[in-house]
Amino acid sequence: MKIVDYVLLTLVIIGAVNWGLIGFIQFDLVRVLFGDMSILSRIVYALVGISGLYAISYYGRIRNTAH
């Protein structure tokens, strides 16, 4: 399960960096690398979104290890 956590956390970080680039300098790295809403860029966006939803479970794990 740790490998899945690391992969999904990496995708969340990629998404956060991409949003930071969009916000600060209006540069969408995913679009540049994979095309403007190409099937590959849509897959990347979808995986980042799913990873973000999965990352919500980290709150429960943090709470469980705090006790």
Side-chain angles (χ1 to χ4, degrees):
M1 195 66 164
K2 283 219 181 244
I3 292 173
V4 172
D5 288 342
Y6 283 116
V7 169
L8 295 178
L9 183 58
T10 301
L11 286 170
V12 169
I13 291 168
I14 289 169
V17 168
N18 193 54
W19 275 110
L21 288 170
I22 291 169
F24 288 117
I25 60 174
Q26 298 178 350
F27 180 75
D28 186 348
L29 184 61
V30 173
R31 182 181 52 83
V32 170
L33 292 177
F34 301 111
D36 189 20
M37 292 311 286
S38 69
I39 189 68
L40 199 51
S41 66
R42 292 173 57 119
I43 290 169
V44 170
Y45 288 129
L47 289 174
V48 168
I50 290 168
S51 299
L53 292 174
Y54 178 81
I56 294 170
S57 71
Y58 295 160
Y59 285 113
R61 291 189 230 169
I62 291 169
R63 185 183 52 193
N64 288 338
T65 59
H67 291 124

PDB file of all heavy atoms in Angstrom, residues 24-59:
ATOM      1  N   PHE A  24       0.574  31.551 -11.082  1.00  0.00           N
ATOM      2  CA  PHE A  24       1.622  32.564 -11.019  1.00  0.00           C
ATOM      3  C   PHE A  24       2.045  33.095 -12.384  1.00  0.00           C
ATOM      4  O   PHE A  24       2.266  34.295 -12.544  1.00  0.00           O
ATOM      5  CB  PHE A  24       2.853  32.031 -10.280  1.00  0.00           C
ATOM      6  CG  PHE A  24       2.641  31.896  -8.802  1.00  0.00           C
ATOM      7  CD1 PHE A  24       2.692  30.661  -8.196  1.00  0.00           C
ATOM      8  CD2 PHE A  24       2.389  33.010  -8.023  1.00  0.00           C
ATOM      9  CE1 PHE A  24       2.497  30.539  -6.834  1.00  0.00           C
ATOM     10  CE2 PHE A  24       2.188  32.898  -6.657  1.00  0.00           C
ATOM     11  CZ  PHE A  24       2.242  31.650  -6.058  1.00  0.00           C
ATOM     12  N   ILE A  25       2.189  32.197 -13.359  1.00  0.00           N
ATOM     13  CA  ILE A  25       2.722  32.661 -14.653  1.00  0.00           C
ATOM     14  C   ILE A  25       1.868  32.237 -15.844  1.00  0.00           C
ATOM     15  O   ILE A  25       2.309  32.302 -16.991  1.00  0.00           O
ATOM     16  CB  ILE A  25       4.184  32.212 -14.851  1.00  0.00           C
ATOM     17  CG1 ILE A  25       4.315  30.685 -14.823  1.00  0.00           C
ATOM     18  CG2 ILE A  25       5.089  32.851 -13.813  1.00  0.00           C
ATOM     19  CD1 ILE A  25       5.707  30.181 -15.145  1.00  0.00           C
ATOM     20  N   GLN A  26       0.641  31.772 -15.580  1.00  0.00           N
ATOM     21  CA  GLN A  26      -0.285  31.358 -16.633  1.00  0.00           C
ATOM     22  C   GLN A  26       0.351  30.346 -17.595  1.00  0.00           C
ATOM     23  O   GLN A  26       0.247  30.464 -18.807  1.00  0.00           O
ATOM     24  CB  GLN A  26      -0.813  32.573 -17.393  1.00  0.00           C
ATOM     25  CG  GLN A  26      -1.593  33.521 -16.531  1.00  0.00           C
ATOM     26  CD  GLN A  26      -2.073  34.744 -17.283  1.00  0.00           C
ATOM     27  OE1 GLN A  26      -1.676  34.997 -18.415  1.00  0.00           O
ATOM     28  NE2 GLN A  26      -2.934  35.504 -16.656  1.00  0.00           N
ATOM     29  N   PHE A  27       1.003  29.344 -17.018  1.00  0.00           N
ATOM     30  CA  PHE A  27       1.682  28.311 -17.796  1.00  0.00           C
ATOM     31  C   PHE A  27       1.149  26.953 -17.358  1.00  0.00           C
ATOM     32  O   PHE A  27       1.336  26.542 -16.219  1.00  0.00           O
ATOM     33  CB  PHE A  27       3.197  28.384 -17.570  1.00  0.00           C
ATOM     34  CG  PHE A  27       3.972  27.353 -18.333  1.00  0.00           C
ATOM     35  CD1 PHE A  27       4.174  27.489 -19.688  1.00  0.00           C
ATOM     36  CD2 PHE A  27       4.493  26.248 -17.685  1.00  0.00           C
ATOM     37  CE1 PHE A  27       4.895  26.537 -20.400  1.00  0.00           C
ATOM     38  CE2 PHE A  27       5.219  25.294 -18.378  1.00  0.00           C
ATOM     39  CZ  PHE A  27       5.413  25.439 -19.739  1.00  0.00           C
ATOM     40  N   ASP A  28       0.467  26.247 -18.256  1.00  0.00           N
ATOM     41  CA  ASP A  28      -0.090  24.926 -17.968  1.00  0.00           C
ATOM     42  C   ASP A  28       0.884  23.871 -18.490  1.00  0.00           C
ATOM     43  O   ASP A  28       0.933  23.581 -19.690  1.00  0.00           O
ATOM     44  CB  ASP A  28      -1.462  24.792 -18.626  1.00  0.00           C
ATOM     45  CG  ASP A  28      -2.169  23.507 -18.251  1.00  0.00           C
ATOM     46  OD1 ASP A  28      -1.537  22.602 -17.677  1.00  0.00           O
ATOM     47  OD2 ASP A  28      -3.377  23.410 -18.546  1.00  0.00           O
ATOM     48  N   LEU A  29       1.660  23.305 -17.594  1.00  0.00           N
ATOM     49  CA  LEU A  29       2.699  22.345 -17.970  1.00  0.00           C
ATOM     50  C   LEU A  29       2.106  21.086 -18.600  1.00  0.00           C
ATOM     51  O   LEU A  29       2.650  20.564 -19.575  1.00  0.00           O
ATOM     52  CB  LEU A  29       3.539  21.978 -16.742  1.00  0.00           C
ATOM     53  CG  LEU A  29       4.718  21.052 -16.975  1.00  0.00           C
ATOM     54  CD1 LEU A  29       5.715  21.678 -17.938  1.00  0.00           C
ATOM     55  CD2 LEU A  29       5.393  20.711 -15.660  1.00  0.00           C
ATOM     56  N   VAL A  30       1.002  20.608 -18.076  1.00  0.00           N
ATOM     57  CA  VAL A  30       0.372  19.408 -18.636  1.00  0.00           C
ATOM     58  C   VAL A  30      -0.060  19.658 -20.075  1.00  0.00           C
ATOM     59  O   VAL A  30       0.160  18.827 -20.960  1.00  0.00           O
ATOM     60  CB  VAL A  30      -0.825  18.955 -17.771  1.00  0.00           C
ATOM     61  CG1 VAL A  30      -1.583  17.814 -18.424  1.00  0.00           C
ATOM     62  CG2 VAL A  30      -0.354  18.533 -16.385  1.00  0.00           C
ATOM     63  N   ARG A  31      -0.651  20.814 -20.331  1.00  0.00           N
ATOM     64  CA  ARG A  31      -1.069  21.156 -21.695  1.00  0.00           C
ATOM     65  C   ARG A  31       0.124  21.225 -22.628  1.00  0.00           C
ATOM     66  O   ARG A  31       0.074  20.739 -23.761  1.00  0.00           O
ATOM     67  CB  ARG A  31      -1.824  22.488 -21.711  1.00  0.00           C
ATOM     68  CG  ARG A  31      -2.319  22.877 -23.093  1.00  0.00           C
ATOM     69  CD  ARG A  31      -3.036  24.215 -23.095  1.00  0.00           C
ATOM     70  NE  ARG A  31      -2.268  25.278 -22.472  1.00  0.00           N
ATOM     71  CZ  ARG A  31      -1.320  25.986 -23.089  1.00  0.00           C
ATOM     72  NH1 ARG A  31      -1.017  25.744 -24.338  1.00  0.00           N
ATOM     73  NH2 ARG A  31      -0.674  26.938 -22.453  1.00  0.00           N
ATOM     74  N   VAL A  32       1.208  21.816 -22.163  1.00  0.00           N
ATOM     75  CA  VAL A  32       2.404  21.944 -22.996  1.00  0.00           C
ATOM     76  C   VAL A  32       3.005  20.571 -23.300  1.00  0.00           C
ATOM     77  O   VAL A  32       3.405  20.296 -24.436  1.00  0.00           O
ATOM     78  CB  VAL A  32       3.445  22.866 -22.318  1.00  0.00           C
ATOM     79  CG1 VAL A  32       4.780  22.810 -23.033  1.00  0.00           C
ATOM     80  CG2 VAL A  32       2.930  24.295 -22.265  1.00  0.00           C
ATOM     81  N   LEU A  33       3.053  19.699 -22.295  1.00  0.00           N
ATOM     82  CA  LEU A  33       3.676  18.383 -22.487  1.00  0.00           C
ATOM     83  C   LEU A  33       2.805  17.418 -23.289  1.00  0.00           C
ATOM     84  O   LEU A  33       3.310  16.647 -24.095  1.00  0.00           O
ATOM     85  CB  LEU A  33       4.009  17.761 -21.132  1.00  0.00           C
ATOM     86  CG  LEU A  33       5.108  18.437 -20.322  1.00  0.00           C
ATOM     87  CD1 LEU A  33       5.257  17.746 -18.973  1.00  0.00           C
ATOM     88  CD2 LEU A  33       6.423  18.421 -21.083  1.00  0.00           C
ATOM     89  N   PHE A  34       1.490  17.452 -23.065  1.00  0.00           N
ATOM     90  CA  PHE A  34       0.623  16.415 -23.622  1.00  0.00           C
ATOM     91  C   PHE A  34      -0.428  16.923 -24.606  1.00  0.00           C
ATOM     92  O   PHE A  34      -1.174  16.139 -25.170  1.00  0.00           O
ATOM     93  CB  PHE A  34      -0.070  15.646 -22.496  1.00  0.00           C
ATOM     94  CG  PHE A  34       0.895  14.996 -21.552  1.00  0.00           C
ATOM     95  CD1 PHE A  34       1.017  15.449 -20.250  1.00  0.00           C
ATOM     96  CD2 PHE A  34       1.683  13.943 -21.959  1.00  0.00           C
ATOM     97  CE1 PHE A  34       1.904  14.856 -19.373  1.00  0.00           C
ATOM     98  CE2 PHE A  34       2.579  13.341 -21.095  1.00  0.00           C
ATOM     99  CZ  PHE A  34       2.685  13.796 -19.799  1.00  0.00           C
ATOM    100  N   GLY A  35      -0.519  18.228 -24.809  1.00  0.00           N
ATOM    101  CA  GLY A  35      -1.479  18.778 -25.759  1.00  0.00           C
ATOM    102  C   GLY A  35      -2.687  19.369 -25.063  1.00  0.00           C
ATOM    103  O   GLY A  35      -2.994  19.048 -23.919  1.00  0.00           O
ATOM    104  N   ASP A  36      -3.368  20.227 -25.789  1.00  0.00           N
ATOM    105  CA  ASP A  36      -4.534  20.928 -25.256  1.00  0.00           C
ATOM    106  C   ASP A  36      -5.735  19.987 -25.229  1.00  0.00           C
ATOM    107  O   ASP A  36      -6.371  19.737 -26.252  1.00  0.00           O
ATOM    108  CB  ASP A  36      -4.833  22.168 -26.101  1.00  0.00           C
ATOM    109  CG  ASP A  36      -5.877  23.056 -25.474  1.00  0.00           C
ATOM    110  OD1 ASP A  36      -6.109  22.945 -24.254  1.00  0.00           O
ATOM    111  OD2 ASP A  36      -6.467  23.870 -26.208  1.00  0.00           O
ATOM    112  N   MET A  37      -6.014  19.434 -24.059  1.00  0.00           N
ATOM    113  CA  MET A  37      -7.104  18.490 -23.818  1.00  0.00           C
ATOM    114  C   MET A  37      -7.054  17.271 -24.740  1.00  0.00           C
ATOM    115  O   MET A  37      -8.086  16.749 -25.163  1.00  0.00           O
ATOM    116  CB  MET A  37      -8.461  19.199 -23.913  1.00  0.00           C
ATOM    117  CG  MET A  37      -8.684  20.198 -22.791  1.00  0.00           C
ATOM    118  SD  MET A  37      -8.343  19.567 -21.128  1.00  0.00           S
ATOM    119  CE  MET A  37      -9.747  18.529 -20.864  1.00  0.00           C
ATOM    120  N   SER A  38      -5.844  16.810 -25.032  1.00  0.00           N
ATOM    121  CA  SER A  38      -5.691  15.551 -25.755  1.00  0.00           C
ATOM    122  C   SER A  38      -6.103  14.425 -24.813  1.00  0.00           C
ATOM    123  O   SER A  38      -6.292  14.621 -23.615  1.00  0.00           O
ATOM    124  CB  SER A  38      -4.238  15.363 -26.196  1.00  0.00           C
ATOM    125  OG  SER A  38      -3.408  15.139 -25.069  1.00  0.00           O
ATOM    126  N   ILE A  39      -6.230  13.238 -25.335  1.00  0.00           N
ATOM    127  CA  ILE A  39      -6.614  12.102 -24.492  1.00  0.00           C
ATOM    128  C   ILE A  39      -5.577  11.879 -23.397  1.00  0.00           C
ATOM    129  O   ILE A  39      -5.917  11.567 -22.259  1.00  0.00           O
ATOM    130  CB  ILE A  39      -6.858  10.825 -25.334  1.00  0.00           C
ATOM    131  CG1 ILE A  39      -7.455   9.712 -24.484  1.00  0.00           C
ATOM    132  CG2 ILE A  39      -5.583  10.354 -25.982  1.00  0.00           C
ATOM    133  CD1 ILE A  39      -8.855   9.976 -24.015  1.00  0.00           C
ATOM    134  N   LEU A  40      -4.302  12.093 -23.716  1.00  0.00           N
ATOM    135  CA  LEU A  40      -3.251  11.896 -22.721  1.00  0.00           C
ATOM    136  C   LEU A  40      -3.317  12.955 -21.622  1.00  0.00           C
ATOM    137  O   LEU A  40      -3.194  12.629 -20.434  1.00  0.00           O
ATOM    138  CB  LEU A  40      -1.877  11.918 -23.402  1.00  0.00           C
ATOM    139  CG  LEU A  40      -0.721  11.308 -22.638  1.00  0.00           C
ATOM    140  CD1 LEU A  40      -1.062   9.911 -22.134  1.00  0.00           C
ATOM    141  CD2 LEU A  40       0.512  11.258 -23.498  1.00  0.00           C
ATOM    142  N   SER A  41      -3.544  14.201 -21.987  1.00  0.00           N
ATOM    143  CA  SER A  41      -3.646  15.244 -20.959  1.00  0.00           C
ATOM    144  C   SER A  41      -4.890  15.031 -20.103  1.00  0.00           C
ATOM    145  O   SER A  41      -4.860  15.257 -18.892  1.00  0.00           O
ATOM    146  CB  SER A  41      -3.641  16.640 -21.580  1.00  0.00           C
ATOM    147  OG  SER A  41      -4.783  16.859 -22.365  1.00  0.00           O
ATOM    148  N   ARG A  42      -5.977  14.557 -20.696  1.00  0.00           N
ATOM    149  CA  ARG A  42      -7.179  14.273 -19.919  1.00  0.00           C
ATOM    150  C   ARG A  42      -6.940  13.143 -18.933  1.00  0.00           C
ATOM    151  O   ARG A  42      -7.444  13.160 -17.810  1.00  0.00           O
ATOM    152  CB  ARG A  42      -8.348  13.953 -20.841  1.00  0.00           C
ATOM    153  CG  ARG A  42      -8.811  15.171 -21.640  1.00  0.00           C
ATOM    154  CD  ARG A  42      -9.848  14.793 -22.655  1.00  0.00           C
ATOM    155  NE  ARG A  42     -10.976  14.156 -22.010  1.00  0.00           N
ATOM    156  CZ  ARG A  42     -12.207  14.622 -22.030  1.00  0.00           C
ATOM    157  NH1 ARG A  42     -12.470  15.728 -22.680  1.00  0.00           N
ATOM    158  NH2 ARG A  42     -13.186  13.993 -21.423  1.00  0.00           N
ATOM    159  N   ILE A  43      -6.160  12.145 -19.342  1.00  0.00           N
ATOM    160  CA  ILE A  43      -5.808  11.046 -18.437  1.00  0.00           C
ATOM    161  C   ILE A  43      -4.982  11.578 -17.269  1.00  0.00           C
ATOM    162  O   ILE A  43      -5.227  11.213 -16.109  1.00  0.00           O
ATOM    163  CB  ILE A  43      -5.065   9.930 -19.196  1.00  0.00           C
ATOM    164  CG1 ILE A  43      -6.026   9.205 -20.137  1.00  0.00           C
ATOM    165  CG2 ILE A  43      -4.404   8.952 -18.231  1.00  0.00           C
ATOM    166  CD1 ILE A  43      -5.358   8.260 -21.114  1.00  0.00           C
ATOM    167  N   VAL A  44      -4.011  12.437 -17.565  1.00  0.00           N
ATOM    168  CA  VAL A  44      -3.182  13.022 -16.496  1.00  0.00           C
ATOM    169  C   VAL A  44      -4.062  13.812 -15.534  1.00  0.00           C
ATOM    170  O   VAL A  44      -3.962  13.653 -14.315  1.00  0.00           O
ATOM    171  CB  VAL A  44      -2.055  13.903 -17.078  1.00  0.00           C
ATOM    172  CG1 VAL A  44      -1.355  14.690 -15.981  1.00  0.00           C
ATOM    173  CG2 VAL A  44      -1.062  13.062 -17.851  1.00  0.00           C
ATOM    174  N   TYR A  45      -4.931  14.678 -16.062  1.00  0.00           N
ATOM    175  CA  TYR A  45      -5.818  15.454 -15.204  1.00  0.00           C
ATOM    176  C   TYR A  45      -6.706  14.534 -14.360  1.00  0.00           C
ATOM    177  O   TYR A  45      -6.927  14.782 -13.175  1.00  0.00           O
ATOM    178  CB  TYR A  45      -6.694  16.398 -16.027  1.00  0.00           C
ATOM    179  CG  TYR A  45      -5.965  17.560 -16.627  1.00  0.00           C
ATOM    180  CD1 TYR A  45      -6.086  17.850 -17.982  1.00  0.00           C
ATOM    181  CD2 TYR A  45      -5.166  18.392 -15.853  1.00  0.00           C
ATOM    182  CE1 TYR A  45      -5.430  18.934 -18.545  1.00  0.00           C
ATOM    183  CE2 TYR A  45      -4.509  19.478 -16.412  1.00  0.00           C
ATOM    184  CZ  TYR A  45      -4.648  19.739 -17.755  1.00  0.00           C
ATOM    185  OH  TYR A  45      -3.991  20.809 -18.301  1.00  0.00           O
ATOM    186  N   ALA A  46      -7.235  13.474 -14.959  1.00  0.00           N
ATOM    187  CA  ALA A  46      -8.105  12.546 -14.237  1.00  0.00           C
ATOM    188  C   ALA A  46      -7.339  11.831 -13.131  1.00  0.00           C
ATOM    189  O   ALA A  46      -7.839  11.687 -12.009  1.00  0.00           O
ATOM    190  CB  ALA A  46      -8.720  11.537 -15.203  1.00  0.00           C
ATOM    191  N   LEU A  47      -6.119  11.385 -13.430  1.00  0.00           N
ATOM    192  CA  LEU A  47      -5.314  10.700 -12.417  1.00  0.00           C
ATOM    193  C   LEU A  47      -4.959  11.625 -11.262  1.00  0.00           C
ATOM    194  O   LEU A  47      -4.977  11.215 -10.093  1.00  0.00           O
ATOM    195  CB  LEU A  47      -4.044  10.122 -13.044  1.00  0.00           C
ATOM    196  CG  LEU A  47      -4.236   8.923 -13.954  1.00  0.00           C
ATOM    197  CD1 LEU A  47      -2.921   8.542 -14.628  1.00  0.00           C
ATOM    198  CD2 LEU A  47      -4.802   7.744 -13.182  1.00  0.00           C
ATOM    199  N   VAL A  48      -4.647  12.876 -11.576  1.00  0.00           N
ATOM    200  CA  VAL A  48      -4.348  13.847 -10.519  1.00  0.00           C
ATOM    201  C   VAL A  48      -5.599  14.072  -9.662  1.00  0.00           C
ATOM    202  O   VAL A  48      -5.513  14.125  -8.428  1.00  0.00           O
ATOM    203  CB  VAL A  48      -3.824  15.172 -11.117  1.00  0.00           C
ATOM    204  CG1 VAL A  48      -3.786  16.271 -10.073  1.00  0.00           C
ATOM    205  CG2 VAL A  48      -2.435  14.969 -11.711  1.00  0.00           C
ATOM    206  N   GLY A  49      -6.754  14.180 -10.293  1.00  0.00           N
ATOM    207  CA  GLY A  49      -7.998  14.363  -9.548  1.00  0.00           C
ATOM    208  C   GLY A  49      -8.316  13.187  -8.646  1.00  0.00           C
ATOM    209  O   GLY A  49      -8.674  13.356  -7.477  1.00  0.00           O
ATOM    210  N   ILE A  50      -8.177  11.984  -9.162  1.00  0.00           N
ATOM    211  CA  ILE A  50      -8.414  10.777  -8.363  1.00  0.00           C
ATOM    212  C   ILE A  50      -7.417  10.711  -7.212  1.00  0.00           C
ATOM    213  O   ILE A  50      -7.768  10.350  -6.086  1.00  0.00           O
ATOM    214  CB  ILE A  50      -8.335   9.520  -9.254  1.00  0.00           C
ATOM    215  CG1 ILE A  50      -9.534   9.477 -10.200  1.00  0.00           C
ATOM    216  CG2 ILE A  50      -8.280   8.253  -8.410  1.00  0.00           C
ATOM    217  CD1 ILE A  50      -9.409   8.460 -11.307  1.00  0.00           C
ATOM    218  N   SER A  51      -6.178  11.085  -7.487  1.00  0.00           N
ATOM    219  CA  SER A  51      -5.156  11.083  -6.446  1.00  0.00           C
ATOM    220  C   SER A  51      -5.496  12.071  -5.341  1.00  0.00           C
ATOM    221  O   SER A  51      -5.292  11.794  -4.156  1.00  0.00           O
ATOM    222  CB  SER A  51      -3.787  11.438  -7.034  1.00  0.00           C
ATOM    223  OG  SER A  51      -3.417  10.498  -8.000  1.00  0.00           O
ATOM    224  N   GLY A  52      -6.024  13.231  -5.719  1.00  0.00           N
ATOM    225  CA  GLY A  52      -6.432  14.214  -4.723  1.00  0.00           C
ATOM    226  C   GLY A  52      -7.554  13.683  -3.841  1.00  0.00           C
ATOM    227  O   GLY A  52      -7.546  13.883  -2.627  1.00  0.00           O
ATOM    228  N   LEU A  53      -8.513  13.002  -4.451  1.00  0.00           N
ATOM    229  CA  LEU A  53      -9.589  12.407  -3.663  1.00  0.00           C
ATOM    230  C   LEU A  53      -9.056  11.335  -2.727  1.00  0.00           C
ATOM    231  O   LEU A  53      -9.454  11.246  -1.565  1.00  0.00           O
ATOM    232  CB  LEU A  53     -10.662  11.823  -4.586  1.00  0.00           C
ATOM    233  CG  LEU A  53     -11.465  12.839  -5.382  1.00  0.00           C
ATOM    234  CD1 LEU A  53     -12.389  12.118  -6.366  1.00  0.00           C
ATOM    235  CD2 LEU A  53     -12.255  13.744  -4.462  1.00  0.00           C
ATOM    236  N   TYR A  54      -8.135  10.518  -3.206  1.00  0.00           N
ATOM    237  CA  TYR A  54      -7.542   9.485  -2.366  1.00  0.00           C
ATOM    238  C   TYR A  54      -6.754  10.109  -1.215  1.00  0.00           C
ATOM    239  O   TYR A  54      -6.732   9.582  -0.106  1.00  0.00           O
ATOM    240  CB  TYR A  54      -6.627   8.590  -3.204  1.00  0.00           C
ATOM    241  CG  TYR A  54      -5.937   7.528  -2.395  1.00  0.00           C
ATOM    242  CD1 TYR A  54      -6.597   6.357  -2.048  1.00  0.00           C
ATOM    243  CD2 TYR A  54      -4.624   7.685  -1.965  1.00  0.00           C
ATOM    244  CE1 TYR A  54      -5.973   5.379  -1.304  1.00  0.00           C
ATOM    245  CE2 TYR A  54      -3.992   6.715  -1.220  1.00  0.00           C
ATOM    246  CZ  TYR A  54      -4.667   5.559  -0.891  1.00  0.00           C
ATOM    247  OH  TYR A  54      -4.050   4.602  -0.143  1.00  0.00           O
ATOM    248  N   ALA A  55      -6.106  11.248  -1.479  1.00  0.00           N
ATOM    249  CA  ALA A  55      -5.284  11.908  -0.457  1.00  0.00           C
ATOM    250  C   ALA A  55      -6.120  12.365   0.732  1.00  0.00           C
ATOM    251  O   ALA A  55      -5.581  12.577   1.818  1.00  0.00           O
ATOM    252  CB  ALA A  55      -4.525  13.082  -1.060  1.00  0.00           C
ATOM    253  N   ILE A  56      -7.420  12.493   0.556  1.00  0.00           N
ATOM    254  CA  ILE A  56      -8.286  12.832   1.686  1.00  0.00           C
ATOM    255  C   ILE A  56      -8.150  11.786   2.795  1.00  0.00           C
ATOM    256  O   ILE A  56      -8.219  12.109   3.978  1.00  0.00           O
ATOM    257  CB  ILE A  56      -9.753  12.970   1.222  1.00  0.00           C
ATOM    258  CG1 ILE A  56      -9.890  14.173   0.283  1.00  0.00           C
ATOM    259  CG2 ILE A  56     -10.698  13.104   2.410  1.00  0.00           C
ATOM    260  CD1 ILE A  56     -11.239  14.263  -0.410  1.00  0.00           C
ATOM    261  N   SER A  57      -7.900  10.544   2.414  1.00  0.00           N
ATOM    262  CA  SER A  57      -7.748   9.476   3.414  1.00  0.00           C
ATOM    263  C   SER A  57      -6.528   9.685   4.295  1.00  0.00           C
ATOM    264  O   SER A  57      -6.445   9.112   5.386  1.00  0.00           O
ATOM    265  CB  SER A  57      -7.664   8.114   2.725  1.00  0.00           C
ATOM    266  OG  SER A  57      -6.427   7.954   2.048  1.00  0.00           O
ATOM    267  N   TYR A  58      -5.573  10.501   3.874  1.00  0.00           N
ATOM    268  CA  TYR A  58      -4.397  10.771   4.702  1.00  0.00           C
ATOM    269  C   TYR A  58      -4.789  11.432   6.013  1.00  0.00           C
ATOM    270  O   TYR A  58      -4.144  11.233   7.030  1.00  0.00           O
ATOM    271  CB  TYR A  58      -3.388  11.659   3.970  1.00  0.00           C
ATOM    272  CG  TYR A  58      -2.757  11.019   2.737  1.00  0.00           C
ATOM    273  CD1 TYR A  58      -2.170  11.794   1.771  1.00  0.00           C
ATOM    274  CD2 TYR A  58      -2.747   9.647   2.550  1.00  0.00           C
ATOM    275  CE1 TYR A  58      -1.581  11.239   0.644  1.00  0.00           C
ATOM    276  CE2 TYR A  58      -2.187   9.077   1.436  1.00  0.00           C
ATOM    277  CZ  TYR A  58      -1.598   9.869   0.488  1.00  0.00           C
ATOM    278  OH  TYR A  58      -1.026   9.309  -0.620  1.00  0.00           O
ATOM    279  N   TYR A  59      -5.852  12.239   6.010  1.00  0.00           N
ATOM    280  CA  TYR A  59      -6.311  12.875   7.248  1.00  0.00           C
ATOM    281  C   TYR A  59      -6.700  11.826   8.284  1.00  0.00           C
ATOM    282  O   TYR A  59      -6.359  11.944   9.451  1.00  0.00           O
ATOM    283  CB  TYR A  59      -7.492  13.810   6.984  1.00  0.00           C
ATOM    284  CG  TYR A  59      -7.103  15.094   6.324  1.00  0.00           C
ATOM    285  CD1 TYR A  59      -7.518  15.376   5.028  1.00  0.00           C
ATOM    286  CD2 TYR A  59      -6.325  16.040   6.980  1.00  0.00           C
ATOM    287  CE1 TYR A  59      -7.175  16.561   4.412  1.00  0.00           C
ATOM    288  CE2 TYR A  59      -5.963  17.222   6.367  1.00  0.00           C
ATOM    289  CZ  TYR A  59      -6.397  17.477   5.090  1.00  0.00           C
ATOM    290  OH  TYR A  59      -6.042  18.644   4.480  1.00  0.00           O
TER     291      TYR A  59
END
